[in-house]
Amino acid sequence: MCGRTACTLAPDDVCQACNFHDKKGTTQKPLWRDPPGGQQYFPSYNVSPGSHTPVLLSSRHYLGELEGLSDRVIQPMMWGMVPSWHKGDPKKVSYETNNCRAEGMLEKRTYKVPLEKGRRCVVLADGFFEWKRDKDEKQPYFIYFPQSSSLCTQKESISDIKQEVKMEDSDWLNVKKEPDLVSNSSDWPVEDKCDQDFKDTRQTLETEKKEIKVEPKDILQNVSLESELFSDFHGHSDGRDAGDKTFQGINLEQGNKCTGKNVPSTKRLLTMAGVFDIWSPPDGAPPLYTYSVITVAASAAMDWLHHRMPAILTSEEEVSEWLDFGDIPLLKAVKNIRPVECIQLHPVSNVVNNSRNKTPDCVEPLDLKKKLKESASSNLMRNWLSRPKNEGVSPVKVSESPPKKKKKTESSVMMGWLNKAKKS
């Protein structure tokens, strides 16, 4: 499942992070194309469905309009797919379309029709959020690609080490239930670009997982929480005030063409497989581009956190195969839709729970041990303050308290004596 993401780069930086090599070996940079109808992309540390976010797709979808400029285009699309055949208000689709389950995407009309038209895309993001449920509490985590090449690196040519996926083309047509597709994440091949050390680590973790019950705190010890690995997110502004014409260095009145704050060219965006569709309003208004994130069963890297995860494309070859709908048949492209383990994660603050919070706090690493200590001390203080001042004595209501007696003074005593003498 993927219900919240972060995408903080300016348009030019997003394009720079998606540089690629074409079939001739020439380095290309995708073109940025603003969506029709005046919709805009706003960089944010907390993106929820309904927002417009950068989506990578083949320039062939524009029917020669961009021929000779670039093989790929990045165009913001609305998160939450509206089928092309939908009737009525596009914001009132009667079912959830933020995510597309891989197990039924070749059968369900909503996704089958656009996929058969070649409408495959790659959703770009810094990373996504997921929540760990523990009794009444939910702890958010941020998941992203490791920025260290020692853990996960892109390789242009990996055909010599790529393992065969244990699935024939016909199997995708016969998929009826989820267990048939992803019954056990250990059956899936190890990611092509992961080092041998990572493979060994995975085998070790799988063995330990069978012997002991793995708790989140045990897994977190193997996850790097070092802030320097995540320092790329610290150089952006905190948000945008209502009516402000600039956002994180981007002049919105100039069509999002200006570059925001510079980021390292080695910045690696998360590349999630998606499906998009184009909905045309009946009144002839500009079309609406929308997408869904394809999801699969969670891998061993995060199944303790949630049972679903996005279908992440882990190499340039996989991205090319998914985007190239003209040369790569759908049944071949879907072989890259499977759980992956080459990810990194860390716990974050609960501020991300509210989608209106857009500050860098949403992605800052959180020390869970420190949080537990603070929580325990705050609970102790709260309990102490809630105790009655005189414990064990029921408080007396003001209305039931006895009337106060007036103190006798010398003058009052004298007046009482004189009055008594007169009566006698």
Side-chain angles (χ1 to χ4, degrees), residues 14 77 105-106 194 240 257 262 297 300 333 352 363 369 374 377 414:
V14 174
M77 299 185 187
M105 66 181 183
L106 299 185
C194 294
R240 182 173 67 94
K257 294 299 184 182
N262 292 332
V352 73
V363 298
K369 294 181 180 180
E374 292 178 350
S377 60
M414 180 62 70

Side-chain angles (χ1 to χ4, degrees), residues 141-155:
Y141 287 79
F142 188 61
I143 302 99
Y144 49 97
F145 265 146
Q147 300 299 310
S148 174
S149 59
S150 62
L151 292 177
C152 188
T153 58
Q154 291 184 343
K155 297 181 181 180

